[in-house]
């Protein structure tokens, strides 16, 4: 038997740069902590059906990524006494709104947990492993250098002698902090973009936030380029540093162009495929924000970085499929009857696809660093 589920998550703090949390709910009968799940719905994509379960069972709405993060198994006792094994495919859902009233609010409790607490709260070993994998220990918790020789060697993986030599040279600059700050703008911008593509009230606010986040990212990019010029010793090759920050900046630039086109053409309704691509963008930003702190210990974190970049590349391929299907349906609905509407929406699709393409560029730049330094 197969089911679908979501793993709802959120970033804390008004700037969305705080600790990341996982939402769990209680089951109706045993009151165990579980994730929102249910059976696939006829005529509906699996990730979309999972989002419906999240709204009905947990009272949360957000951007669901069409690319699953894995699956887990559990055994369920049926009314006839049979104990059947279920395989549950899990999709990440970045929560953008918590409802005060929802369908099963009187039957379940909901609560936010840290990654470790969420993994400990659920019973299924596969689900525990999936949650821990989703929230790697390096995620948004990068250590800061303390200035001692031993710490330099530990963070970089270089020999003690080279670490000592590094201390005699000019400072390496704050590249890691700048990378991570830029990644935080990508996360915030992606979340604002997903809320924008949900339509409804407040679209102007979401557009404004995307513009503001893009300005923040530009300031960080300029700081990186200035730091490259004035720093004698850099942690990576200078061209690798500038290429990485440029690819990250291109991603949020395309988010801003998407928002600008929506504002220019006064688009208020969006196709399901557009929202699906937005879901991929949100998860791509999350993966990027996990990967950047791991660059501080690139030797030790090489395998995990490769896992993250491989997932980003796979998501880009999935986005291409969704983009093609969306354009086909768009042409069937508007190609001949409303050419202007077709052109406008095709432009939106192009911007959204380019956002995901830029995240693939980020993945390729990180892979290059891993090859050179891990």
């Amino acid at each position: 038997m197969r089911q679908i589920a979501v793993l709802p998550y959120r970033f804390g703090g008004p700037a969305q740069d705080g600790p990341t949390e996982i939402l769990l709910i209680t089951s109706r009968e045993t009151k165990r902590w579980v994730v929102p799940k249910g059976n696939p719905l006829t005529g509906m994509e699996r990730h979309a059906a999972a989002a419906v379960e999240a709204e009905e069972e947990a009272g949360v709405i957000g951007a669901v990524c069409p690319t699953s993060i894995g699956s887990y198994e559990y055994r369920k006792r049926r009314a006839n006494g049979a104990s059947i094994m279920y395989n549950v495919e899990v999709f990440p859902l970045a929560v953008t709104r918590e409802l005060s009233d929802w369908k099963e609010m009187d039957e379940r409790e909901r609560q936010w947990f840290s990654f470790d607490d969420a993994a400990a709260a659920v019973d299924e070993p596969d689900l525990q492993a999936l949650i821990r994998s989703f929230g790697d220990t390096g995620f948004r918790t990068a250590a800061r250098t303390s200035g001692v020789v031993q710490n330099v060697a530990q963070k970089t993986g270089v020999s003690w002698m080279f670490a000592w030599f590094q201390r005699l040279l000019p400072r390496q600059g704050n590249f890691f902090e700048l990378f991570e700050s830029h990644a935080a703008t990508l996360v915030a911008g992606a979340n604002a973009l997903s809320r924008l593509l949900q339509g409804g009230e407040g679209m102007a606010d979401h557009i404004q936030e995307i513009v503001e986040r893009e300005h923040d990212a530009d300031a960080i990019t300029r700081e990186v380029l200035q730091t490259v010029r004035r720093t004698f010793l850099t942690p990576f090759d200078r061209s690798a540093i500038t290429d990485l920050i440029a690819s990250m900046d291109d991603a949020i630039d395309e988010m801003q162009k998407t928002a600008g086109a929506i504002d220019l053409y006064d688009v208020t309704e969006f196709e399901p495929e557009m929202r699906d691509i937005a879901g991929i963008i949100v998860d791509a930003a999350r993966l990027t924000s996990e990967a950047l702190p791991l660059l501080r210990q690139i030797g030790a974190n090489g395998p995990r970085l490769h896992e993250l970049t491989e997932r980003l590349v796979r998501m880009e391929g999935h986005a291409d499929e969704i983009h093609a299907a969306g354009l086909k349906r768009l042409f069937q609905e508007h190609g001949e009857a409303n050419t202007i509407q077709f052109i406008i929406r095709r432009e939106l699709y192009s911007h959204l696809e380019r956002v995901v393409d830029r995240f693939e560029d980020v993945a390729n730049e990180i892979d290059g660093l891993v090859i050179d330094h891990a």
Side-chain angles (χ1 to χ4, degrees):
M1 300 292 291
R2 297 187 61 84
Q3 290 186 317
I4 39 84
V6 296
L7 187 66
Y9 70 94
R10 70 179 181 185
F11 297 108
Q16 301 183 45
D17 56 358
T20 307
E21 297 175 312
I22 299 295
L23 181 72
L24 299 179
I25 60 174
T26 56
S27 61
R28 281 185 291 194
E29 296 178 0
T30 63
K31 300 303 179 184
R32 297 181 301 110
W33 289 111
V34 296
V35 294
K37 63 180 182 296
N39 297 321
L41 301 177
T42 303
M44 184 177 293
E45 296 287 342
R46 297 175 67 82
H47 67 282
V52 172
E53 296 295 335
E55 182 174 354
E56 293 181 353
E57 296 185 359
V60 291
I61 296 174
V64 59
C65 179
T67 306
S68 72
I69 57 175
S71 62
Y72 71 96
E73 293 184 339
Y74 78 102
R75 193 168 292 278
K76 181 178 181 180
R77 184 174 295 277
R78 309 284 294 264
N80 60 8
S83 183
I84 305 298
M85 184 68 76
Y86 282 77
N87 180 276
V88 186
E89 187 177 14
V90 183
F91 300 89
L93 183 138
V95 175
T96 57
R97 184 153 59 101
E98 294 183 52
L99 305 177
S100 56
D101 295 290
W102 66 96
K103 184 176 180 178
E104 299 184 12
M105 62 179 298
D106 296 328
E107 303 174 72
R108 304 178 187 271
E109 297 179 16
R110 66 182 181 187
Q111 182 176 325
W112 289 99
F113 293 82
S114 67
F115 283 121
D116 290 339
D117 290 344
V122 299
D123 290 343
E124 298 81 2
D126 289 347
L127 181 56
Q128 293 175 355
L130 189 148
I131 292 174
R132 291 194 175 99
S133 175
F134 185 81
D136 185 81
T137 54
F139 188 29
R140 302 171 74 86
T141 57
R144 298 294 185 261
T145 55
S146 61
V148 298
V149 173
Q150 291 82 358
N151 199 43
V152 171
Q154 181 182 10
K155 301 298 183 190
T156 60
V158 300
S159 67
W160 297 112
M161 181 58 71
F162 187 67
W164 174 81
F165 177 68
Q166 283 182 309
R167 299 305 298 161
L168 302 180
L169 295 173
R171 294 178 62 84
Q172 294 190 37
N174 58 337
F175 293 107
F176 295 119
E177 289 87 349
L178 292 171
F179 287 150
E180 292 153 23
S181 296
H182 200 295
T185 68
L186 291 176
V187 170
N191 276 281
L193 182 63
S194 72
R195 293 193 297 270
L196 175 61
L197 266 65
Q198 290 172 11
E201 298 181 358
M203 291 182 61
D205 291 339
H206 302 320
I207 292 172
Q208 180 178 346
E209 180 178 359
I210 294 170
V211 172
E212 292 173 353
R213 300 294 188 178
E214 192 272 337
H215 290 166
D216 292 341
D218 281 345
I220 296 169
T221 300
R222 286 194 297 271
E223 179 64 21
V224 170
L225 297 179
Q226 292 171 4
T227 305
V228 166
R229 288 196 296 269
R230 63 174 179 251
T231 302
F232 179 77
L233 182 67
T234 57
F236 308 122
D237 183 79
R238 295 173 189 274
S239 62
I241 292 173
T242 56
D243 289 347
L244 175 57
I245 198 65
S247 61
M248 294 170 64
D249 202 52
D250 287 344
I252 198 164
D253 284 346
E254 288 296 339
M255 295 183 204
Q256 192 274 333
K257 291 177 182 178
T258 306
I262 291 172
D263 187 34
L264 175 63
Y265 301 124
D266 197 24
V267 181
T268 57
E269 296 181 357
F270 305 93
E271 281 73 22
E273 290 86 355
M274 290 184 182
R275 291 193 291 270
D276 287 346
I277 297 176
I280 289 179
I281 290 170
V282 169
D283 207 43
R286 178 189 65 82
L287 293 172
T288 302
S289 70
E290 177 180 347
L292 269 298
L294 301 182
L295 293 178
R296 292 174 178 268
Q297 294 179 283
I298 192 169
N301 294 320
R304 176 61 177 173
L305 284 166
H306 180 68
E307 291 175 3
L308 297 173
T309 55
E310 185 179 31
R311 178 171 168 80
L312 282 168
V313 172
R314 188 167 68 251
M315 290 165 60
E316 191 276 336
H318 195 176
D320 283 346
E321 296 173 3
I322 297 171
H323 174 254
L327 280 182
K328 182 175 182 179
R329 187 160 72 90
L330 184 65
F331 181 77
Q332 291 171 346
E333 294 179 356
H334 300 289
E336 296 181 359
N338 194 336
T339 305
I340 296 299
Q341 193 65 221
F342 172 77
I343 293 173
I344 290 173
R345 294 183 176 275
R346 184 181 61 180
E347 180 178 340
L348 295 184
Y349 271 117
S350 296
H351 286 306
L352 289 168
E353 183 193 28
R354 284 197 288 267
V355 176
V356 185
D357 288 344
R358 299 295 80 78
F359 276 112
E360 184 186 26
D361 293 341
V362 173
N364 291 334
E365 295 298 335
I366 293 174
D367 262 341
L369 291 174
V370 173
I371 292 171
D372 291 340
H373 298 277

